[in-house]
Amino acid sequence: MGSRLWTTTSRAAILAGALCATTSLAWGQTGAPNAASPVQIEEVVVTAARRETTLQSLPQSVAVLTGDVQRERGQQRLEDLQAAVPNVSFTNTSNASQLYIRGVGNTFINAGGDPGTAFYQDGAYVSDPRTTNTSLFDVERVEILRGPQGALYGRNAVGGALNVISAKPTTTPEERVDAVVGDYGRLETEGYVSGPIGSGPLSGRLSYQARKLEGYTKNLLAGRPGAPRRFDDLDSHALRAQLASDLPSGGRLNLLASWYREDEAGPALGVVSTPGIVYPAQALFGQTPTNEPRAVKATVGSTELEVATLNARLVRPVGQSTLTATVNYRDGLQDFLNDCDGVEADACRYSTHTSSKDYYAEAYLSSGGEGPLRWIVGATYGRLDQSQNVQVPWLTQLAYLSPGAPTNASFPIHYNGGGKLNVESIAAYADLRYQLSPVWALSAQVRHSRTTKSSDEYQFIPTFGVGATGFRNHLKNSHTPFKLGIEGKLAPDILVYASYATANKDGAINVGALQSSTVAPEEVRSFEIGEKASFFDRRLQVNGAVFSGRYEDLQIAQVIGPIAALSNVPKSTIKGAELDVTLLPASGLRLGLGLGYLDGRFDQFINSRTIPGPLPAAPSDLSGNQLPNIAKWSANLDTQYKFSPAAGYEASVGAQYAWRSRLYFNEFNDLDNSQAAGGVLNLSASLKASDGPWRLYGYLNNVTNRTYQLGTTIYSGLLAAEKAVNYAAPRHSAVGLSYAF
């Protein structure tokens, strides 16, 4: 089996045209072009390796998106990353962000688990996935690191890491304001003021964003008390203030404070009927869901999200070396309420209240100079204090619990569970790179970390006589992930590399489940070969990689009784390839192609599906099934043409096309719980005066108005295993005006 999969992967890579896969996919921080060539692919500077370096000299798979481009394309949330980056996907289940990189991500929506991709904001690790899918604003760039990053980025970077970097204060005055209007009642504004404060070394930056959208999905029960008019709406406000100062002894100190708030109806979770299954509301009240993607029946619905962040970052020289230290505090709150039966009757509600306090500190020392040995040594500390309450009151059929009872006899159930969670983690790490010769270099990374989790849980289900408080759970994990690599600069513009890496996801506590045993930690061992090459005086860039990872105890979400919980898959394998090609065939014309291939399979997994009633089905052997939320094939096309329509004016037009093969939303690979293959086309354009302060831009996203699913939720068997679906946005458009003072 392994040989066959490797052959398939290798053929995909060869057909793609190189060792396949990963590179800068968008516009990054640029260096000065070579004066000998007026048309060149810009150099992109990243900090993915904990020091500034150009992307093409970095021996790993990193994609970069810049904030200005994403803003003008109307793509400022995590789900928009998949429009530009192959082997990246996003699902949204019960308003919990689930980002997947190379097939690994977050399958859990309750407290106690962790994402499989590490999320960093301005150099600080963010523990709570419920507060990560905020609207990005005033962002310099987003770096997406594909593949295990356990040694350098630490806990839970099994599939990769995401680093969002805010725009920094400038030493010269800059001001900009944007206003955007569009369909579905879209009204947005965003801007900043940046520059020196006084005549000293101090500079500052104040940025803001306000977004409002009436919503893509109408509520057929609008007008009832508590029933929203529309769903998939947005009402958000954000502020960020920064101070930066050059220090007398060298170096720079940056202080940041930000606040973000959303208050809206939230995502539409439309219940979709399963053929042959009679849901409780139909049996009890004769009512059925609409089964329409843009219309729901919801008696309630609300989402409130608030995040406050304080961040301090110091960079200063220490002898010939550089010290970088980051301290971060993040306070998050989310309240979510939705109707989980999809009918007129108030037969089911799902609500969560989650609050978290996230503390993070990191310090590392990096070598300077141009010697053959470069090194980084560092340490981190993280703490998460979180509380969560989940309540699900619903009416089920008495016949489920008492066979022979009338099918129209109801039985009320009210689940109320949750608790407090404390997570504490410490780690120390080192990164070494030694230049063996002008061509070859060796590298090694290692980290040792210790994580403890403890919980104080409760659960109340009065109709079943369950009433428990003070249930405590505890786990302790120690991991030592590492990475070994070799790289060769075969020519000034050709880099080849190979690496072997391991990474771990911490064990989990299913908070509110009152389980006596915790969930085992997840581990991956991965091998990768890649290349990065530029040709024709940097007018053609071809980056690629092939990789294989073996996973032990992959964590996957299950419905156990009335709640969602994590369990372990003993053995799984993900093999794949990526290719990214950028071509500048003529002045002003840029062509980009990204291809991704993932073969993710369960090697050993026996599990029972959720079916109507209180008992699960007989266990099934799922070995060989495709892992959920993985598209086997992905393709991204990105074209932009810049030109002068008239003297004194500059214009650009662009098109993006993102295609994914079939994606299954659960481990059983059911066709009726999957998203068929298809693609989405987005268009964008801009116009500006060459020397003027204004810029006009617009976009038309999902041009063909394709209806497709972002994710699904399968409810408890006592709700007849109802399926709720979250759909992506329909065709929508907007026009913006940017004015720089």
Side-chain angles (χ1 to χ4, degrees), residues 22-60:
T22 207
T23 186
S24 159
L25 296 173
W27 316 82
Q29 185 176 337
T30 63
N34 187 331
S37 175
V39 180
Q40 282 192 337
I41 298 172
E42 69 276 9
E43 289 187 352
V44 179
V45 177
V46 296
T47 53
R50 292 288 197 266
R51 67 171 83 229
E52 285 194 357
T53 184
T54 61
L55 186 62
Q56 287 301 98
S57 64
L58 189 63
Q60 63 177 353

Side-chain angles (χ1 to χ4, degrees), residues 25 30 45 95 113 126 133 202 252 288 510 512 539 566 568 584 600 611 649 666:
L25 296 173
T30 63
V45 177
N95 211 37
V126 178
N133 193 25
L202 191 65
R252 192 168 176 84
T288 58
N510 292 311
R539 295 178 64 166
L566 282 173
N568 293 112
L584 303 184
I611 60 173
Y649 291 91
N666 68 5

Side-chain angles (χ1 to χ4, degrees), residues 337 349-353 389-393 414-417 458:
L337 170 66
R349 294 187 178 190
Y350 172 83
S351 68
T352 64
H353 171 85
N389 174 256
V390 178
Q391 295 198 46
V392 189
H414 187 160
Y415 169 83
N416 179 2
Y458 59 87

